[in-house]
PDB file of all heavy atoms in Angstrom:
ATOM      1  N   LEU Z 370     101.062 101.249  88.402  1.00  0.00           N
ATOM      2  CA  LEU Z 370     100.166 102.314  88.208  1.00  0.00           C
ATOM      3  C   LEU Z 370     100.663 103.517  87.556  1.00  0.00           C
ATOM      4  O   LEU Z 370      99.888 104.321  86.932  1.00  0.00           O
ATOM      5  CB  LEU Z 370      99.499 102.696  89.585  1.00  0.00           C
ATOM      6  CG  LEU Z 370      98.736 101.564  90.269  1.00  0.00           C
ATOM      7  CD1 LEU Z 370      98.263 102.026  91.669  1.00  0.00           C
ATOM      8  CD2 LEU Z 370      97.534 101.170  89.457  1.00  0.00           C
ATOM      9  N   LEU Z 371     101.951 103.837  87.703  1.00  0.00           N
ATOM     10  CA  LEU Z 371     102.449 105.097  87.190  1.00  0.00           C
ATOM     11  C   LEU Z 371     103.226 104.971  85.909  1.00  0.00           C
ATOM     12  O   LEU Z 371     104.017 105.837  85.580  1.00  0.00           O
ATOM     13  CB  LEU Z 371     103.380 105.699  88.290  1.00  0.00           C
ATOM     14  CG  LEU Z 371     102.723 106.104  89.576  1.00  0.00           C
ATOM     15  CD1 LEU Z 371     103.639 106.801  90.466  1.00  0.00           C
ATOM     16  CD2 LEU Z 371     101.435 106.838  89.373  1.00  0.00           C
ATOM     17  N   GLY Z 372     102.958 104.000  85.085  1.00  0.00           N
ATOM     18  CA  GLY Z 372     103.520 103.916  83.792  1.00  0.00           C
ATOM     19  C   GLY Z 372     103.312 105.071  82.937  1.00  0.00           C
ATOM     20  O   GLY Z 372     104.239 105.670  82.308  1.00  0.00           O
ATOM     21  N   PRO Z 373     102.026 105.662  82.847  1.00  0.00           N
ATOM     22  CA  PRO Z 373     101.769 106.764  82.004  1.00  0.00           C
ATOM     23  C   PRO Z 373     102.532 108.060  82.468  1.00  0.00           C
ATOM     24  O   PRO Z 373     102.593 108.978  81.687  1.00  0.00           O
ATOM     25  CB  PRO Z 373     100.291 107.015  82.225  1.00  0.00           C
ATOM     26  CG  PRO Z 373      99.712 105.645  82.580  1.00  0.00           C
ATOM     27  CD  PRO Z 373     100.810 105.067  83.406  1.00  0.00           C
ATOM     28  N   CYS Z 374     103.066 108.107  83.739  1.00  0.00           N
ATOM     29  CA  CYS Z 374     103.775 109.224  84.188  1.00  0.00           C
ATOM     30  C   CYS Z 374     105.278 109.089  83.932  1.00  0.00           C
ATOM     31  O   CYS Z 374     106.072 110.026  84.244  1.00  0.00           O
ATOM     32  CB  CYS Z 374     103.514 109.377  85.711  1.00  0.00           C
ATOM     33  SG  CYS Z 374     101.811 109.521  86.150  1.00  0.00           S
ATOM     34  N   MET Z 375     105.693 108.058  83.432  1.00  0.00           N
ATOM     35  CA  MET Z 375     107.191 107.733  83.353  1.00  0.00           C
ATOM     36  C   MET Z 375     107.911 108.802  82.404  1.00  0.00           C
ATOM     37  O   MET Z 375     109.061 109.168  82.750  1.00  0.00           O
ATOM     38  CB  MET Z 375     107.376 106.380  82.723  1.00  0.00           C
ATOM     39  CG  MET Z 375     108.753 105.728  83.143  1.00  0.00           C
ATOM     40  SD  MET Z 375     108.939 105.554  84.987  1.00  0.00           S
ATOM     41  CE  MET Z 375     107.747 104.217  85.285  1.00  0.00           C
ATOM     42  N   ASP Z 376     107.279 109.276  81.397  1.00  0.00           N
ATOM     43  CA  ASP Z 376     107.977 110.244  80.481  1.00  0.00           C
ATOM     44  C   ASP Z 376     108.275 111.506  81.251  1.00  0.00           C
ATOM     45  O   ASP Z 376     109.326 112.142  81.113  1.00  0.00           O
ATOM     46  CB  ASP Z 376     107.120 110.578  79.254  1.00  0.00           C
ATOM     47  CG  ASP Z 376     107.031 109.345  78.300  1.00  0.00           C
ATOM     48  OD1 ASP Z 376     107.950 108.567  78.361  1.00  0.00           O
ATOM     49  OD2 ASP Z 376     106.122 109.282  77.457  1.00  0.00           O
ATOM     50  N   ILE Z 377     107.287 111.901  82.155  1.00  0.00           N
ATOM     51  CA  ILE Z 377     107.480 113.155  82.892  1.00  0.00           C
ATOM     52  C   ILE Z 377     108.614 112.973  83.867  1.00  0.00           C
ATOM     53  O   ILE Z 377     109.467 113.799  83.972  1.00  0.00           O
ATOM     54  CB  ILE Z 377     106.156 113.509  83.701  1.00  0.00           C
ATOM     55  CG1 ILE Z 377     105.070 113.811  82.716  1.00  0.00           C
ATOM     56  CG2 ILE Z 377     106.378 114.686  84.631  1.00  0.00           C
ATOM     57  CD1 ILE Z 377     103.714 114.034  83.448  1.00  0.00           C
ATOM     58  N   MET Z 378     108.699 111.751  84.524  1.00  0.00           N
ATOM     59  CA  MET Z 378     109.749 111.530  85.430  1.00  0.00           C
ATOM     60  C   MET Z 378     111.183 111.488  84.805  1.00  0.00           C
ATOM     61  O   MET Z 378     112.119 112.025  85.362  1.00  0.00           O
ATOM     62  CB  MET Z 378     109.511 110.201  86.173  1.00  0.00           C
ATOM     63  CG  MET Z 378     108.243 110.194  87.081  1.00  0.00           C
ATOM     64  SD  MET Z 378     108.067 108.643  87.915  1.00  0.00           S
ATOM     65  CE  MET Z 378     106.457 108.931  88.700  1.00  0.00           C
ATOM     66  N   LYS Z 379     111.140 110.900  83.556  1.00  0.00           N
ATOM     67  CA  LYS Z 379     112.482 110.821  82.868  1.00  0.00           C
ATOM     68  C   LYS Z 379     112.938 112.245  82.461  1.00  0.00           C
ATOM     69  O   LYS Z 379     114.138 112.504  82.483  1.00  0.00           O
ATOM     70  CB  LYS Z 379     112.312 109.947  81.669  1.00  0.00           C
ATOM     71  CG  LYS Z 379     112.247 108.494  82.027  1.00  0.00           C
ATOM     72  CD  LYS Z 379     112.048 107.561  80.791  1.00  0.00           C
ATOM     73  CE  LYS Z 379     111.989 106.110  81.203  1.00  0.00           C
ATOM     74  NZ  LYS Z 379     111.748 105.223  80.054  1.00  0.00           N
ATOM     75  N   ARG Z 380     111.995 113.111  82.094  1.00  0.00           N
ATOM     76  CA  ARG Z 380     112.411 114.499  81.724  1.00  0.00           C
ATOM     77  C   ARG Z 380     112.977 115.206  83.012  1.00  0.00           C
ATOM     78  O   ARG Z 380     113.969 115.933  82.973  1.00  0.00           O
ATOM     79  CB  ARG Z 380     111.232 115.300  81.310  1.00  0.00           C
ATOM     80  CG  ARG Z 380     110.764 114.846  79.831  1.00  0.00           C
ATOM     81  CD  ARG Z 380     109.904 115.921  79.221  1.00  0.00           C
ATOM     82  NE  ARG Z 380     108.704 116.262  79.994  1.00  0.00           N
ATOM     83  CZ  ARG Z 380     107.557 115.634  79.718  1.00  0.00           C
ATOM     84  NH1 ARG Z 380     107.500 114.680  78.803  1.00  0.00           N
ATOM     85  NH2 ARG Z 380     106.502 115.964  80.436  1.00  0.00           N
ATOM     86  N   ASN Z 381     112.342 114.883  84.216  1.00  0.00           N
ATOM     87  CA  ASN Z 381     112.800 115.500  85.464  1.00  0.00           C
ATOM     88  C   ASN Z 381     114.152 114.955  85.797  1.00  0.00           C
ATOM     89  O   ASN Z 381     115.015 115.606  86.372  1.00  0.00           O
ATOM     90  CB  ASN Z 381     111.827 115.196  86.565  1.00  0.00           C
ATOM     91  CG  ASN Z 381     110.513 116.065  86.421  1.00  0.00           C
ATOM     92  OD1 ASN Z 381     110.547 117.058  85.802  1.00  0.00           O
ATOM     93  ND2 ASN Z 381     109.494 115.622  87.053  1.00  0.00           N
ATOM     94  N   ILE Z 382     114.432 113.684  85.474  1.00  0.00           N
ATOM     95  CA  ILE Z 382     115.736 113.061  85.737  1.00  0.00           C
ATOM     96  C   ILE Z 382     116.788 113.859  84.986  1.00  0.00           C
ATOM     97  O   ILE Z 382     117.977 114.134  85.520  1.00  0.00           O
ATOM     98  CB  ILE Z 382     115.774 111.606  85.386  1.00  0.00           C
ATOM     99  CG1 ILE Z 382     114.906 110.806  86.405  1.00  0.00           C
ATOM    100  CG2 ILE Z 382     117.217 111.022  85.396  1.00  0.00           C
ATOM    101  CD1 ILE Z 382     114.723 109.378  86.034  1.00  0.00           C
ATOM    102  N   ALA Z 383     116.546 114.263  83.738  1.00  0.00           N
ATOM    103  CA  ALA Z 383     117.478 115.005  82.976  1.00  0.00           C
ATOM    104  C   ALA Z 383     117.799 116.370  83.644  1.00  0.00           C
ATOM    105  O   ALA Z 383     118.922 116.860  83.642  1.00  0.00           O
ATOM    106  CB  ALA Z 383     116.952 115.276  81.562  1.00  0.00           C
ATOM    107  N   ASN Z 384     116.728 116.915  84.270  1.00  0.00           N
ATOM    108  CA  ASN Z 384     116.929 118.255  84.886  1.00  0.00           C
ATOM    109  C   ASN Z 384     117.840 118.059  86.125  1.00  0.00           C
ATOM    110  O   ASN Z 384     118.605 118.891  86.516  1.00  0.00           O
ATOM    111  CB  ASN Z 384     115.516 118.792  85.311  1.00  0.00           C
ATOM    112  CG  ASN Z 384     114.698 119.209  84.075  1.00  0.00           C
ATOM    113  OD1 ASN Z 384     115.276 119.503  83.101  1.00  0.00           O
ATOM    114  ND2 ASN Z 384     113.431 119.275  84.271  1.00  0.00           N
ATOM    115  N   TYR Z 385     117.529 116.855  86.847  1.00  0.00           N
ATOM    116  CA  TYR Z 385     118.425 116.625  88.027  1.00  0.00           C
ATOM    117  C   TYR Z 385     119.883 116.523  87.630  1.00  0.00           C
ATOM    118  O   TYR Z 385     120.741 117.175  88.263  1.00  0.00           O
ATOM    119  CB  TYR Z 385     118.013 115.254  88.659  1.00  0.00           C
ATOM    120  CG  TYR Z 385     116.655 115.196  89.176  1.00  0.00           C
ATOM    121  CD1 TYR Z 385     116.021 113.954  89.393  1.00  0.00           C
ATOM    122  CD2 TYR Z 385     115.965 116.343  89.645  1.00  0.00           C
ATOM    123  CE1 TYR Z 385     114.767 113.900  89.893  1.00  0.00           C
ATOM    124  CE2 TYR Z 385     114.679 116.241  90.222  1.00  0.00           C
ATOM    125  CZ  TYR Z 385     114.109 115.021  90.256  1.00  0.00           C
ATOM    126  OH  TYR Z 385     112.831 114.918  90.811  1.00  0.00           O
ATOM    127  N   GLU Z 386     120.147 115.854  86.494  1.00  0.00           N
ATOM    128  CA  GLU Z 386     121.563 115.703  86.070  1.00  0.00           C
ATOM    129  C   GLU Z 386     122.195 117.045  85.833  1.00  0.00           C
ATOM    130  O   GLU Z 386     123.364 117.233  86.125  1.00  0.00           O
ATOM    131  CB  GLU Z 386     121.594 114.733  84.901  1.00  0.00           C
ATOM    132  CG  GLU Z 386     121.229 113.282  85.264  1.00  0.00           C
ATOM    133  CD  GLU Z 386     121.212 112.459  84.032  1.00  0.00           C
ATOM    134  OE1 GLU Z 386     121.276 112.901  82.925  1.00  0.00           O
ATOM    135  OE2 GLU Z 386     121.092 111.196  84.205  1.00  0.00           O
TER     136      GLU Z 386
END
Side-chain angles (χ1 to χ4, degrees):
L370 298 177
L371 296 190
C374 306
M375 205 61 70
D376 289 340
I377 298 175
M378 295 183 184
K379 289 179 179 178
R380 288 200 300 270
N381 287 340
I382 290 174
N384 294 335
Y385 295 157
E386 291 177 348

